[in-house]
Amino acid sequence: MSKYIIRRLLQAIPTVFGITLLVFFLISLAPGGPIEVLAFNNRMKPREREELKYILGYNDPLLVQYLRWLAGDDWMRWDEDDDGLADASVFFIDHYAPELDEHGKPIFDEGSGEAVLRQLPPGNKLGILRGDWGNSVYYKRAALDVLVERLPATLELGVTSLVTGFVIGIAVGIIAAVYHSGVFDQVSRVGAVIVDSVPSFGLGLMFLLVFAAQLNLLPLGGRCKTTLDDSCPPVTSRLEYLILPTIVLAAGGVSGYSRYMRASMLDVVSQDYIRTARAKGLQERLIWLRHGVRNAFIPIATFLGPSLTFLLSGAAITEQVYSWPGVGRLLVQAPGRRDYPIVMIVVVYGALASILGYLLSDVFYALLDPRIRFD
């Protein structure tokens, strides 16, 4: 098993690099950009915008920008004033500068570009391979710090909804299989279809209207009451904020797990070893729980791994509806703010979570079915 896991992780490395390449070039094709946000000033002249692009490196070729984002720029800079810090990039080219100095750096008219360049803090970008994802355009802080701050809220909501949906869905599926073609079975099947037919944002808004706006039983949204330091008390003292988003997210899990568990249980109880157990005189309850449930769990492992991806990367729509300060809501807000460092780190983070989720699915298969061997 350990050799298989290591092999899968090594195979994931080129996949991750391909994802970073695809994400970067797709973002570069988007209209606008960080410069439009940073230069949102009617009095800023077009030349000053170009100088800002030069300083931030957005005039470089896309491949150079990608390499800088991936591996940093210390390998393409030099120490111009012998102060021990890199100052200028050999790839910086600006068509507004007709002349270059002895170091190959463009010379701006009236020294405007030179003055702005000297105001920047010296230093190098390290690149995402060394943990430097750049600074958020909107939050004016490291993008990685912003992501880490949102993770606890996403994990809190994700774990709660995943456990709730899994436990209730499995229980409903087992009961529906035991009482096959009964009233409970028919009601659970119809309920699962109805829940799957309603989009999550519609279900979330419906619950907000009924339980928060009309009945005033639960809060309209958020993770807790607003405080001066934006901190929240322990989850046990603010469960009312967790109820509605958990129900919305768990509803899809209940409908999915219950149907797959029901179908898997009905398939298992028709096998020869179940008939043999009945012939030996075992109690029906033991047959269903001891022999049926474990084997019926094997197909469920296919869906449990991707569910962990949702747990780590957040539910964008539900977090937006309930103003839940998680990773999913962060991703929804970032494109409108032209906060591309946030978009790229969240997308790459979600891709890594997906790779981990599918790897865990294979591990669950081996744990549930001793006949499966990967080594």
Side-chain angles (χ1 to χ4, degrees), residues 58-73:
Y58 286 104
N59 280 349
D60 295 344
L62 286 179
L63 182 58
V64 174
Q65 295 184 41
Y66 170 73
L67 292 176
R68 183 189 299 116
W69 176 66
L70 185 69
D73 62 354

Side-chain angles (χ1 to χ4, degrees), residues 260-334:
Y260 284 110
M261 191 64 187
R262 173 187 176 274
S264 183
M265 284 287 292
L266 292 177
D267 179 67
V268 166
V269 297
S270 64
Q271 301 296 321
D272 292 338
Y273 64 88
I274 297 293
R275 288 193 291 268
T276 302
R278 287 197 177 102
K280 290 181 177 180
L282 290 180
Q283 297 180 4
E284 194 70 17
R285 178 174 57 86
L286 293 178
I287 293 175
W288 282 93
L289 297 180
R290 180 178 299 177
H291 298 282
V293 172
R294 179 176 179 178
N295 292 283
F297 262 118
I298 297 176
I300 302 298
T302 307
F303 307 97
L304 191 57
S307 297
L308 295 178
T309 302
F310 146 77
L311 184 153
L312 294 174
S313 58
I317 297 177
T318 303
E319 290 184 359
Q320 182 68 16
V321 170
Y322 288 99
S323 301
W324 191 266
V327 177
R329 189 183 182 206
L330 181 67
L331 179 60
V332 171
Q333 296 174 339

Side-chain angles (χ1 to χ4, degrees), residues 148-344:
V148 171
E149 289 177 0
R150 300 296 186 101
L151 273 180
T154 290
L155 292 176
E156 178 182 297
L157 179 59
V159 170
T160 306
S161 59
L162 179 62
V163 173
T164 303
F166 181 79
V167 172
I168 298 178
I170 295 300
V172 171
I174 294 175
I175 297 174
V178 171
Y179 299 100
H180 177 56
S181 299
V183 176
F184 184 86
D185 183 23
Q186 300 297 335
V187 172
S188 63
R189 292 171 60 189
V190 173
V193 173
I194 294 175
V195 170
D196 282 345
S197 301
V198 179
S200 58
F201 69 88
L203 191 62
L205 292 175
M206 187 186 309
F207 284 163
L208 276 179
L209 179 63
V210 176
F211 295 102
Q214 298 293 333
L215 300 179
N216 199 24
L217 297 176
L218 297 171
L220 284 170
R223 191 183 178 197
C224 60
K225 290 183 179 180
T226 305
T227 58
L228 295 177
D229 56 354
D230 293 332
S231 61
C232 287
V235 66
T236 54
S237 60
R238 50 181 175 83
L239 290 176
E240 64 274 13
Y241 290 89
L242 198 58
I243 293 176
L244 288 183
T246 298
I247 292 176
V248 172
L249 290 179
V254 170
S255 63
Y257 286 125
S258 63
R259 286 186 299 168
Y260 284 110
M261 191 64 187
R262 173 187 176 274
S264 183
M265 284 287 292
L266 292 177
D267 179 67
V268 166
V269 297
S270 64
Q271 301 296 321
D272 292 338
Y273 64 88
I274 297 293
R275 288 193 291 268
T276 302
R278 287 197 177 102
K280 290 181 177 180
L282 290 180
Q283 297 180 4
E284 194 70 17
R285 178 174 57 86
L286 293 178
I287 293 175
W288 282 93
L289 297 180
R290 180 178 299 177
H291 298 282
V293 172
R294 179 176 179 178
N295 292 283
F297 262 118
I298 297 176
I300 302 298
T302 307
F303 307 97
L304 191 57
S307 297
L308 295 178
T309 302
F310 146 77
L311 184 153
L312 294 174
S313 58
I317 297 177
T318 303
E319 290 184 359
Q320 182 68 16
V321 170
Y322 288 99
S323 301
W324 191 266
V327 177
R329 189 183 182 206
L330 181 67
L331 179 60
V332 171
Q333 296 174 339
R337 296 167 175 172
R338 301 292 192 272
D339 201 348
Y340 294 147
I342 293 294
V343 175
M344 289 189 286

Side-chain angles (χ1 to χ4, degrees), residues 1 25 37 49 53 76 84 121 131 143 161 184 213 219 222 251 272 288 298 317 356 372:
M1 176 65 73
F25 283 98
V37 178
R49 291 173 181 260
K53 288 182 180 180
M76 62 173 66
S161 59
F184 184 86
D272 292 338
W288 282 93
I298 297 176
I317 297 177
L356 178 61
I372 297 177

